[in-house]
């Protein structure tokens, strides 16, 4: 009787990227870096892009085409192998088969998926919507679950959760869609009163956005309406925050076998040719952070404690990047968390873990393994 020497099938990782949000291009860039880092001897990889109109497309496995080149941003439409074909993931937990459908042809099975690496930023991906689909499908995935993803995307409720857990947050005001649409004068008056209490300038931003898109620094009342409309181009609900004077400090959290651990922190130095650390500073002009942040051992330990506390407060899984201000009186104030932070070559999250002893390929592998070891459903 001959011995069966067939090797076991490698786990299949579907890297899902792009999406319908205004952060589409950054998602593509991030996915390109992850695709380059996944160990192909250990995993099979299936790249799936979501176009800006929501079509799931089988894409080329071509990380070199997914970078920002000459300030031009990449998109899924240029990477899709077909202009019309769609990728379908079953919502039957007993069937993890991915199917490619194209008009006039028989649907083609692309094989089963063991884990999804959702490299999506912003609404329709990072906010619990994709996570809900994957829960229905019974497919494990990297990163936060439905609730944590939703809370992590909505800065209003994120801050409410932080406050309930005793974490320090800065002053803020929320303007909901109906308020601005039905009575802009009353909404404007509330913001002016907020400014009277906390001072100008203010930051006006989408409540459920990221990558610093749609944010405006407002120095006085004359620029307020324009800033509100800019934020509302990305999200009808907006957040108004006061300026916190201090140093910008970031800290990464990663899931290990014994629980979450914090990286060494980083400092985002003031940018000289931008009003603040905006989209262009982050991704186009490549403003660099200082890793590790030169803040001393005591402050480092405190920001690491707060980063893990924020991770736990929102019930995160896998990873988080927590952003803080270190104020002039030496206190940390948490600004926000990102449940799926950027993984571009210049992104702070991988850089902080590199300095903490976890290189980029190991970081990607740890996230995939943590997802494979975690069940879907209630946990």
């Amino acid at each position: 009787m001959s011995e069966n020497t067939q090797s076991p099938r490698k786990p299949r990782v579907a890297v899902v990227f792009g999406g319908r949000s205004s952060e589409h291009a950054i998602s593509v860039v991030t996915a390109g870096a992850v695709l380059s880092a996944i160990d192909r001897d250990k995993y099979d990889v299936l790249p799936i892009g979501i176009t800006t109109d929501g079509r799931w497309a089988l894409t080329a496995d071509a990380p070199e085409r997914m970078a920002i080149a000459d300030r031009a941003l990449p998109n899924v439409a240029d990477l899709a192998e077909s202009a019309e074909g769609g990728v379908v993931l079953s919502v039957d937990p007993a069937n993890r088969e991915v199917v490619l459908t194209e008009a006039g042809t028989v649907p083609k099975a692309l094989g089963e998926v063991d884990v999804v690496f959702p490299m999506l930023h912003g609404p329709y991906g990072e906010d619990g919507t994709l996570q809900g689909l994957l829960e229905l499908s019974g497919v494990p995935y990297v990163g936060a679950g439905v609730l944590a993803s939703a809370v992590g995307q909505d800065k209003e409720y994120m801050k409410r959760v932080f406050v309930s857990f005793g974490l320090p947050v800065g002053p803020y005001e929320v303007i909901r869609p109906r308020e601005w649409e039905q009575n802009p004068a009353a909404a404007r008056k509330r913001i002016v009163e907020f400014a009277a209490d906390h001072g100008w300038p203010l930051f006006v931003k989408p409540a459920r956005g990221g990558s610093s898109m749609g944010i405006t620094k407002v120095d006085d009342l004359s620029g307020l309406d324009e800033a509100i409309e800019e934020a509302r181009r990305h999200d009808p609900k907006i957040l108004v925050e006061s300026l916190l004077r201090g140093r910008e400090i970031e800290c990464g959290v990663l899931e290990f076998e014994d629980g979450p651990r914090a990286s060494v922190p980083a400092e985002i130095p003031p940018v000289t040719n931008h009003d603040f650390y905006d989209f262009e500073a982050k991704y186009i002009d490549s403003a660099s952070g200082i890793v590790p942040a030169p803040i001393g051992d005591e402050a480092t330990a405190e920001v690491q404690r707060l980063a893990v506390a924020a991770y736990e407060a929102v019930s995160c899984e896998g990873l988080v990047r927590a952003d803080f201000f270190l104020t002039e009186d030496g206190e940390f104030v948490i600004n926000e968390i990102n449940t799926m932070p950027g993984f571009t070559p210049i992104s702070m999250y991988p850089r902080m873990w590199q300095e903490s002893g976890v290189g980029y390929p190991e970081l990607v592998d740890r996230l995939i393994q943590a997802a494979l070891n975690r069940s879907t459903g209630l946990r």
Side-chain angles (χ1 to χ4, degrees):
M1 182 173 163
S2 63
E3 184 179 348
N4 184 359
T5 59
Q6 183 177 358
S7 61
R9 181 176 69 84
K10 292 185 289 188
R12 199 142 193 251
V13 182
V15 178
V16 180
F17 60 96
R20 295 163 56 190
S21 84
S22 55
E23 297 174 76
H24 177 97
I26 296 309
S27 173
V28 177
V29 174
T30 300
V34 170
L35 284 169
S36 296
I38 293 179
D39 185 349
R40 303 306 176 98
D41 292 330
K42 190 172 181 178
Y43 304 105
D44 284 329
V45 177
L46 180 68
I48 299 174
I50 302 176
T51 64
T52 54
D53 59 2
R55 179 174 67 93
W56 288 45
L58 184 64
T59 71
D61 187 0
E64 69 281 359
R65 294 170 54 196
M66 301 167 73
I68 298 174
D70 298 324
R71 305 178 77 89
L73 301 176
N75 65 79
V76 167
D78 292 337
L79 296 162
E81 294 194 346
S82 167
E84 296 180 354
V87 172
V88 178
L89 178 66
S90 171
V91 292
D92 178 1
N95 177 18
R96 294 180 178 177
E97 190 94 350
V98 175
V99 175
L100 176 65
T101 62
E102 292 186 276
T105 64
V106 176
K108 177 184 177 183
L110 300 177
E112 290 191 345
V113 167
D114 297 291
V115 62
V116 169
F117 206 134
M119 301 310 307
L120 294 155
H121 301 305
Y124 312 111
E126 193 183 351
D127 59 350
T129 50
L130 177 65
Q131 290 74 15
L133 172 63
L134 296 173
E135 292 285 351
L136 289 173
S137 302
V139 179
Y141 53 93
V142 171
V146 176
L147 174 66
S149 296
V151 172
Q153 185 66 35
D154 191 314
K155 294 178 177 63
E156 175 194 358
Y157 288 98
M158 180 198 304
K159 291 176 186 291
R160 290 182 183 274
V161 169
F162 288 158
V163 169
S164 73
F165 277 82
L167 295 171
V169 304
Y172 70 96
E173 194 70 64
V174 177
I175 303 297
R176 301 180 184 281
R178 189 181 304 163
E179 293 179 78
W180 185 251
E181 291 159 8
Q182 295 186 356
N183 195 343
R188 193 181 300 108
K189 180 175 182 291
R190 193 147 59 85
I191 296 172
V192 170
E193 290 172 349
F194 176 81
D197 290 337
H198 302 288
W200 299 89
L202 303 176
F203 287 93
V204 178
K205 61 178 65 174
R208 295 163 290 195
S211 297
S212 297
M213 301 186 82
I215 301 178
T216 305
K217 181 182 177 185
V218 182
D219 293 313
D220 53 46
L221 184 59
S222 64
L224 183 59
D225 281 19
E226 184 179 351
I228 290 172
E229 292 303 335
E230 171 59 20
R232 281 172 51 83
R233 286 200 312 110
H234 300 268
D235 185 352
K237 182 168 82 166
I238 66 168
L239 196 74
V240 179
E241 295 175 332
S242 62
L243 172 67
L244 290 175
R245 301 188 185 280
R247 299 161 69 181
E248 292 190 50
I249 307 295
E250 298 183 348
C251 189
V253 179
L254 178 64
E255 181 180 333
F256 285 77
E257 291 77 8
D258 60 349
R261 301 182 198 170
S263 70
V264 299
E267 179 172 7
I268 308 300
V271 286
T272 56
N273 56 337
H274 297 267
D275 276 346
F276 58 96
Y277 195 44
D278 61 8
F279 177 86
E280 289 217 348
K282 282 183 180 180
Y283 299 109
I284 305 297
D285 294 340
S286 304
S288 19
I290 303 167
V291 187
I295 57 176
D297 293 345
E298 186 177 338
T300 293
E302 175 64 3
V303 77
Q304 289 174 325
R305 181 190 73 80
L306 289 170
V308 172
Y311 176 99
E312 299 279 30
V314 182
S315 298
C316 293
E317 294 169 292
L319 72 165
V320 144
R321 192 194 74 231
D323 301 346
F324 298 86
F325 290 104
L326 177 55
T327 63
E328 294 170 343
D329 59 5
E331 299 296 324
F332 282 103
V333 175
I334 186 165
N335 183 39
E336 65 180 50
I337 59 170
N338 279 267
T339 56
M340 186 52 72
F343 269 78
T344 68
I346 62 169
S347 294
M348 297 311 302
Y349 185 85
R351 287 185 58 198
M352 288 187 287
W353 278 109
Q354 178 76 43
E355 190 68 25
S356 304
V358 181
Y360 195 85
E362 182 188 350
L363 179 61
V364 171
D365 186 66
R366 279 192 170 276
L367 290 170
I368 293 172
Q369 286 297 317
L372 285 168
N373 293 329
R374 189 170 58 235
S375 64
T376 55
L378 298 178
R379 53 190 183 274

